[in-house]
Amino acid sequence: MPLHSLSHGAKQCTALTKRTKQPCKNPAAYGCKTCIMHGARKPETIKRGKDHVNFVHGRRTLEAQAEQNAASRRLQQLEDAMHLLGMTTAKRSRGRKANGYTKLTSLDDVKKLLK
Ligand SMILES: [Zn+2]
C-alpha cells in the first residue's frame, strides 16, 4: 500500500533497493529525486567538474569524454572514407565503435563528412 503522502502528489523515490532490486516505496525528499535513505541531495548542491572532491586531472569529466568520443567517431568515419575511396587495403579496426557512429556506405556520405 502506498504511503499517504504519495497518494497526495509527492514524488516517489527513484532508487532501487539493494536487496530486492525493486523500486523504493518511500516518498522523495523535498526537491530531490530520492528519499533520505538513498542519499537525497538537491541537484544544485551536487558538485560537478573541478568542484567535485574526486576531481584529479579532468581527463574523465563529461566534457572530456564527449570530446574524446567525437574525435574517435571522426577517426572511424575517416577510416570508412579511406576504404570507400580505395586508399587502403588494411584490415578494418576492431572493437566497439564510438557512440553516435554511423558507418559511411557511399561516396555521398564521404562528401558530407568532408564538408
Ligand atoms: Zn528511497
Side-chain angles (χ1 to χ4, degrees):
M1 184 174 142
L3 291 174
H4 185 69
S5 58
L6 288 177
S7 60
H8 287 281
K11 289 182 183 173
Q12 189 170 355
C13 174
T14 57
L16 301 179
T17 59
K18 214 188 261 186
R19 189 168 47 89
T20 63
K21 313 294 183 214
Q22 296 295 309
C24 176
K25 292 178 182 170
N26 288 334
Y30 180 74
C32 306
K33 285 182 173 180
T34 57
C35 67
I36 197 74
M37 296 298 289
H38 289 113
R41 284 188 291 168
K42 291 187 177 180
E44 60 267 17
T45 63
I46 298 173
K47 293 180 178 173
R48 296 180 191 280
K50 280 189 171 182
D51 300 330
H52 196 273
V53 291
N54 290 339
F55 181 86
V56 178
H57 42 65
R59 282 179 268 169
R60 301 286 296 172
T61 59
L62 291 176
E63 295 83 27
Q65 285 179 335
E67 205 172 286
Q68 244 173 6
N69 187 46
S72 178
R73 185 173 52 237
R74 176 100 175 147
L75 198 59
Q76 288 163 353
Q77 287 181 329
L78 285 173
E79 182 186 330
D80 285 346
M82 283 179 65
H83 280 277
L84 277 172
L85 297 171
M87 294 169 72
T88 182
T89 57
K91 284 184 178 179
R92 303 303 308 260
S93 61
R94 295 168 41 180
R96 186 184 72 80
K97 302 298 178 229
N99 291 338
Y101 164 78
T102 51
K103 187 173 184 174
L104 302 182
T105 53
S106 67
L107 291 176
D108 292 335
D109 294 340
V110 175
K111 285 177 188 170
K112 284 180 194 169
L113 176 73
L114 298 177
K115 279 183 183 175

